Amino acid sequence: MSNREVVVLSVGGVRFVTRASTLLQFPESRLARMLNDDDQEFKLMNGEFFVDRDGTLFSYIMDFLRTLQVSLPPDFSDYQRLQREAEFYGLYPLANLLSQEHLLKPRLEILEVRFSLQEMQAFFRIFGSCSATVEALAEQITVFTGQQLGQSWNSPFPSQKPLVPLPLEQPSHHDLVFQCGTDYSAGDQFVARYVSIKPDNRKLINGANVLGLLLDTLLKDGFRLISTRTVSSEEKVECYSFERMKKPAGLTV
Protein backbone atom coordinates (compact mmCIF):
# COMPACT_ATOMS: atom_id res chain seq x y z
CA MET A 1 0.00 0.00 0.00
CA SER A 2 2.88 2.42 0.66
CA ASN A 3 3.60 2.52 -3.09
CA ARG A 4 0.23 4.09 -3.88
CA GLU A 5 0.69 7.67 -5.05
CA VAL A 6 -2.80 8.92 -4.13
CA VAL A 7 -4.63 7.97 -0.92
CA VAL A 8 -8.27 8.65 -0.06
CA LEU A 9 -9.37 8.92 3.58
CA SER A 10 -12.84 9.29 5.04
CA VAL A 11 -12.49 10.82 8.50
CA GLY A 12 -15.79 11.11 10.35
CA GLY A 13 -17.56 11.30 6.99
CA VAL A 14 -15.27 14.01 5.58
CA ARG A 15 -13.32 12.89 2.50
CA PHE A 16 -9.63 13.76 2.03
CA VAL A 17 -7.45 13.05 -1.00
CA THR A 18 -3.69 13.31 -0.60
CA ARG A 19 -0.37 11.85 -1.66
CA ALA A 20 1.07 8.88 0.16
CA SER A 21 4.30 10.85 0.62
CA THR A 22 2.36 13.43 2.65
CA LEU A 23 1.12 10.77 5.07
CA LEU A 24 4.64 9.34 5.32
CA GLN A 25 6.15 12.62 6.59
CA PHE A 26 6.43 11.02 10.05
CA PRO A 27 7.21 7.28 9.57
CA GLU A 28 6.38 6.41 13.18
CA SER A 29 2.86 7.89 13.01
CA ARG A 30 -0.30 5.79 12.72
CA LEU A 31 -1.02 7.38 9.34
CA ALA A 32 2.28 6.00 8.01
CA ARG A 33 1.57 2.59 9.53
CA MET A 34 -1.91 2.70 7.97
CA LEU A 35 -0.37 2.58 4.49
CA ASN A 36 1.37 -0.68 5.42
CA ASP A 37 -1.85 -2.24 6.76
CA ASP A 38 -0.26 -2.09 10.20
CA ASP A 39 -3.08 -0.40 12.14
CA GLN A 40 -6.51 -1.93 12.64
CA GLU A 41 -8.09 1.42 13.56
CA PHE A 42 -8.14 2.34 9.86
CA LYS A 43 -10.53 0.24 7.80
CA LEU A 44 -10.07 -0.02 4.03
CA MET A 45 -13.52 0.12 2.43
CA ASN A 46 -14.05 0.46 -1.33
CA GLY A 47 -10.56 1.78 -1.81
CA GLU A 48 -10.87 4.42 0.95
CA PHE A 49 -9.46 4.37 4.46
CA PHE A 50 -12.18 5.01 7.04
CA VAL A 51 -11.56 6.22 10.58
CA ASP A 52 -14.16 7.29 13.10
CA ARG A 53 -12.60 10.58 14.24
CA ASP A 54 -13.31 14.31 13.87
CA GLY A 55 -13.09 15.26 10.20
CA THR A 56 -13.02 19.01 10.78
CA LEU A 57 -9.99 18.81 13.06
CA PHE A 58 -8.30 16.40 10.68
CA SER A 59 -8.21 19.19 8.06
CA TYR A 60 -5.74 21.06 10.32
CA ILE A 61 -3.68 17.90 10.68
CA MET A 62 -3.53 17.55 6.89
CA ASP A 63 -2.42 21.18 6.60
CA PHE A 64 0.36 20.45 9.10
CA LEU A 65 1.51 17.40 7.14
CA ARG A 66 1.64 19.43 3.93
CA THR A 67 3.42 22.50 5.34
CA LEU A 68 5.09 21.28 8.56
CA GLN A 69 3.64 24.40 10.20
CA VAL A 70 0.82 25.04 12.65
CA SER A 71 -1.28 27.85 11.21
CA LEU A 72 -4.76 28.17 12.72
CA PRO A 73 -7.65 30.62 12.13
CA PRO A 74 -7.78 33.70 14.42
CA ASP A 75 -10.98 32.45 16.08
CA PHE A 76 -9.71 28.89 16.67
CA SER A 77 -10.22 27.67 20.25
CA ASP A 78 -10.12 23.82 20.22
CA TYR A 79 -6.42 23.54 21.04
CA GLN A 80 -6.83 20.67 23.51
CA ARG A 81 -9.10 18.67 21.20
CA LEU A 82 -6.71 19.14 18.28
CA GLN A 83 -3.81 18.10 20.52
CA ARG A 84 -5.70 14.90 21.43
CA GLU A 85 -6.27 14.18 17.74
CA ALA A 86 -2.57 14.71 17.01
CA GLU A 87 -1.70 12.26 19.79
CA PHE A 88 -4.23 9.72 18.43
CA TYR A 89 -2.54 9.80 15.02
CA GLY A 90 0.89 9.52 16.64
CA LEU A 91 1.94 12.97 15.42
CA TYR A 92 3.79 13.95 18.58
CA PRO A 93 5.75 16.85 17.01
CA LEU A 94 2.39 18.45 16.23
CA ALA A 95 1.06 17.68 19.71
CA ASN A 96 4.13 19.34 21.24
CA LEU A 97 3.62 22.49 19.16
CA LEU A 98 -0.04 22.64 20.18
CA SER A 99 0.96 22.48 23.82
CA GLN A 100 2.50 25.94 23.28
CA GLU A 101 -0.98 27.39 22.98
CA HIS A 102 0.10 30.87 24.11
CA LEU A 103 2.33 31.18 21.05
CA LEU A 104 -0.45 30.19 18.64
CA LYS A 105 -3.18 32.52 19.81
CA PRO A 106 -3.68 35.89 18.05
CA ARG A 107 -2.44 38.91 19.98
CA LEU A 108 -4.17 42.24 20.39
CA GLU A 109 -2.08 45.06 18.91
CA ILE A 110 -2.65 48.62 20.15
CA LEU A 111 -1.69 51.79 18.30
CA GLU A 112 -2.25 55.43 19.32
CA VAL A 113 -2.02 58.57 17.19
CA ARG A 114 -1.66 61.96 18.92
CA PHE A 115 -2.33 65.06 16.85
CA SER A 116 -1.63 68.63 17.93
CA LEU A 117 -2.41 71.79 15.95
CA GLN A 118 -0.42 74.92 16.83
CA GLU A 119 -0.80 77.99 14.62
CA MET A 120 0.57 77.02 11.20
CA GLN A 121 2.11 73.70 12.31
CA ALA A 122 0.73 70.25 13.06
CA PHE A 123 2.55 67.73 15.27
CA PHE A 124 2.11 63.94 15.18
CA ARG A 125 3.22 61.24 17.58
CA ILE A 126 2.50 57.55 17.00
CA PHE A 127 2.77 54.98 19.80
CA GLY A 128 2.54 51.26 18.98
CA SER A 129 2.63 48.10 21.10
CA CYS A 130 4.34 46.30 18.19
CA SER A 131 7.74 47.73 17.22
CA ALA A 132 7.57 46.04 13.79
CA THR A 133 4.41 48.03 12.96
CA VAL A 134 6.08 51.28 14.04
CA GLU A 135 9.10 50.46 11.88
CA ALA A 136 6.82 49.73 8.92
CA LEU A 137 5.06 53.08 9.37
CA ALA A 138 8.43 54.83 9.58
CA GLU A 139 9.25 53.41 6.14
CA GLN A 140 5.90 54.57 4.74
CA ILE A 141 6.05 58.15 6.09
CA THR A 142 8.45 60.70 4.61
CA VAL A 143 8.79 64.35 5.66
CA PHE A 144 10.13 66.83 3.09
CA THR A 145 11.38 70.32 3.91
CA GLY A 146 12.00 73.41 1.84
CA GLN A 147 11.79 77.21 1.97
CA GLN A 148 8.82 79.20 0.74
CA LEU A 149 8.54 82.87 -0.01
CA GLY A 150 5.54 84.63 1.54
CA GLN A 151 3.23 81.60 1.46
CA SER A 152 0.95 80.34 4.20
CA TRP A 153 0.70 76.70 5.28
CA ASN A 154 -2.66 76.34 3.52
CA SER A 155 -1.04 76.84 0.12
CA PRO A 156 -1.82 73.77 -2.02
CA PHE A 157 1.34 74.23 -4.07
CA PRO A 158 4.77 73.14 -2.83
CA SER A 159 7.82 75.36 -3.14
CA GLN A 160 9.48 75.45 -6.52
CA LYS A 161 12.81 74.76 -4.82
CA PRO A 162 13.78 71.08 -4.45
CA LEU A 163 12.38 69.50 -1.30
CA VAL A 164 14.79 67.67 0.99
CA PRO A 165 13.65 64.52 2.87
CA LEU A 166 14.10 64.60 6.64
CA PRO A 167 14.64 61.60 8.95
CA LEU A 168 11.74 60.87 11.29
CA GLU A 169 12.37 61.23 15.00
CA GLN A 170 12.02 57.90 16.82
CA PRO A 171 12.40 58.32 20.60
CA SER A 172 12.10 54.53 20.97
CA HIS A 173 11.26 51.40 18.99
CA HIS A 174 7.62 51.91 19.88
CA ASP A 175 6.97 55.50 18.80
CA LEU A 176 7.80 58.04 16.14
CA VAL A 177 7.36 61.82 15.81
CA PHE A 178 6.97 64.12 12.82
CA GLN A 179 5.38 67.44 11.88
CA CYS A 180 4.10 69.42 8.89
CA GLY A 181 3.16 73.00 8.11
CA THR A 182 5.20 76.20 7.96
CA ASP A 183 7.40 77.97 10.46
CA TYR A 184 8.48 81.61 10.18
CA SER A 185 12.20 81.84 9.41
CA ALA A 186 13.46 85.34 8.54
CA GLY A 187 12.11 88.24 6.54
CA ASP A 188 9.33 86.86 4.38
CA GLN A 189 10.82 83.34 4.32
CA PHE A 190 8.98 80.30 5.67
CA VAL A 191 10.35 76.83 6.34
CA ALA A 192 7.76 74.38 5.01
CA ARG A 193 7.37 70.70 5.87
CA TYR A 194 5.35 68.33 3.71
CA VAL A 195 4.34 64.77 4.58
CA SER A 196 3.99 61.86 2.18
CA ILE A 197 2.51 58.49 3.22
CA LYS A 198 2.99 55.52 0.87
CA PRO A 199 1.38 54.28 -1.30
CA ASP A 200 -0.17 57.76 -1.72
CA ASN A 201 2.22 59.97 -3.73
CA ARG A 202 0.95 63.38 -2.57
CA LYS A 203 3.05 65.73 -0.46
CA LEU A 204 0.67 67.30 2.06
CA ILE A 205 1.34 70.37 4.17
CA ASN A 206 -2.04 70.79 5.83
CA GLY A 207 -2.19 68.95 9.18
CA ALA A 208 -5.86 67.97 8.85
CA ASN A 209 -5.18 66.41 5.45
CA VAL A 210 -2.18 64.49 6.77
CA LEU A 211 -4.24 63.24 9.73
CA GLY A 212 -7.02 62.05 7.43
CA LEU A 213 -4.58 60.18 5.20
CA LEU A 214 -2.81 58.61 8.19
CA LEU A 215 -6.05 57.37 9.75
CA ASP A 216 -7.24 56.01 6.39
CA THR A 217 -3.91 54.19 5.94
CA LEU A 218 -4.26 52.51 9.35
CA LEU A 219 -7.84 51.44 8.66
CA LYS A 220 -6.80 49.88 5.35
CA ASP A 221 -4.02 48.03 7.18
CA GLY A 222 -6.56 46.21 9.36
CA PHE A 223 -6.71 48.50 12.39
CA ARG A 224 -10.02 49.43 13.99
CA LEU A 225 -10.65 52.84 15.54
CA ILE A 226 -11.86 52.23 19.10
CA SER A 227 -11.81 55.71 20.67
CA THR A 228 -11.20 59.40 20.04
CA ARG A 229 -10.53 61.78 22.89
CA THR A 230 -9.02 65.19 23.67
CA VAL A 231 -5.92 64.80 25.81
CA SER A 232 -5.34 68.53 26.32
CA SER A 233 -7.90 71.13 25.33
CA GLU A 234 -5.46 73.98 25.99
CA GLU A 235 -2.80 72.55 23.67
CA LYS A 236 -5.42 71.09 21.30
CA VAL A 237 -4.03 67.56 21.51
CA GLU A 238 -6.32 64.87 20.09
CA CYS A 239 -5.76 61.16 20.61
CA TYR A 240 -6.96 58.39 18.27
CA SER A 241 -6.72 54.82 19.57
CA PHE A 242 -6.69 51.75 17.30
CA GLU A 243 -6.53 48.00 17.77
CA ARG A 244 -6.23 44.92 15.59
CA MET A 245 -5.79 41.21 16.10
CA LYS A 246 -2.34 40.18 14.93
CA LYS A 247 -2.13 36.59 13.76
CA PRO A 248 1.02 34.86 15.04
CA ALA A 249 3.50 33.35 12.62
CA GLY A 250 2.98 29.62 12.13
CA LEU A 251 5.14 27.44 14.36
CA THR A 252 7.39 25.15 12.35
CA VAL A 253 8.70 21.71 13.24
Side-chain angles (χ1 to χ4, degrees):
M1 293 296 296
S2 60
N3 293 325
R4 292 181 57 175
E5 182 178 356
V6 176
V7 180
V8 181
L9 301 95
S10 178
V11 183
V14 182
R15 195 168 181 264
F16 297 88
V17 181
T18 187
R19 293 178 179 273
S21 57
T22 300
L23 301 177
L24 292 169
Q25 288 277 13
F26 297 91
E28 301 302 318
S29 72
R30 297 182 73 175
L31 292 171
R33 297 202 307 269
M34 171 193 75
L35 296 181
N36 296 313
D37 296 325
D38 195 24
D39 196 311
Q40 298 302 313
E41 187 71 34
F42 299 85
K43 306 295 183 182
L44 186 60
M45 302 171 59
N46 299 322
E48 298 183 8
F49 287 100
F50 173 79
V51 60
D52 189 18
R53 302 294 295 191
D54 191 306
T56 300
L57 293 179
F58 189 73
S59 65
Y60 300 120
I61 289 176
M62 284 303 307
D63 181 68
F64 169 75
L65 290 173
R66 288 167 176 148
T67 65
L68 298 183
Q69 284 190 340
V70 181
S71 183
L72 301 171
D75 58 348
F76 186 81
S77 59
D78 288 336
Y79 292 93
Q80 291 185 347
R81 290 184 58 212
L82 183 56
Q83 185 176 351
R84 285 201 304 268
E85 293 299 294
E87 292 171 349
F88 169 80
Y89 291 107
L91 295 169
Y92 296 106
L94 173 58
N96 291 336
L97 290 178
L98 290 168
S99 67
Q100 304 177 61
E101 182 179 335
H102 64 288
L103 298 177
L104 294 167
K105 287 185 175 180
R107 298 179 182 179
L108 184 63
E109 183 179 353
I110 303 297
L111 189 136
E112 183 179 277
V113 176
R114 294 199 174 193
F115 171 68
S116 175
L117 193 60
Q118 299 177 17
E119 297 181 351
M120 294 187 296
Q121 297 184 81
F123 299 86
F124 296 82
R125 187 158 196 163
I126 300 175
F127 301 86
S129 61
C130 177
S131 60
T133 297
V134 175
E135 288 296 332
L137 283 172
E139 293 181 0
Q140 286 181 263
I141 300 171
T142 306
V143 177
F144 298 88
T145 185
Q147 286 191 336
Q148 290 183 307
L149 181 62
Q151 292 183 345
S152 71
W153 83 309
N154 288 313
S155 171
F157 304 105
S159 171
Q160 297 299 315
K161 295 182 180 180
L163 298 177
V164 180
L166 293 175
L168 296 182
E169 181 184 347
Q170 291 189 256
S172 74
H173 293 297
H174 290 274
D175 60 341
L176 59 90
V177 178
F178 61 94
Q179 67 186 82
C180 66
T182 58
D183 185 22
Y184 179 75
S185 178
D188 57 354
Q189 294 288 324
F190 289 84
V191 175
R193 287 185 176 87
Y194 299 83
V195 173
S196 175
I197 304 177
K198 297 176 182 178
D200 194 292
N201 293 320
R202 292 173 297 169
K203 295 181 177 66
L204 304 175
I205 194 171
N206 183 287
N209 293 339
V210 174
L211 176 64
L213 179 58
L214 176 59
L215 300 186
D216 185 61
T217 300
L218 294 174
L219 292 172
K220 289 180 179 178
D221 197 32
F223 281 96
R224 182 172 68 94
L225 181 64
I226 56 174
S227 70
T228 302
R229 68 184 191 278
T230 300
V231 178
S232 172
S233 57
E234 294 181 358
E235 298 180 359
K236 299 180 180 179
V237 179
E238 299 175 358
C239 179
Y240 300 82
S241 298
F242 294 83
E243 69 176 17
R244 71 173 173 183
M245 296 301 292
K246 186 178 180 182
K247 187 178 179 181
L251 293 182
T252 306
V253 173

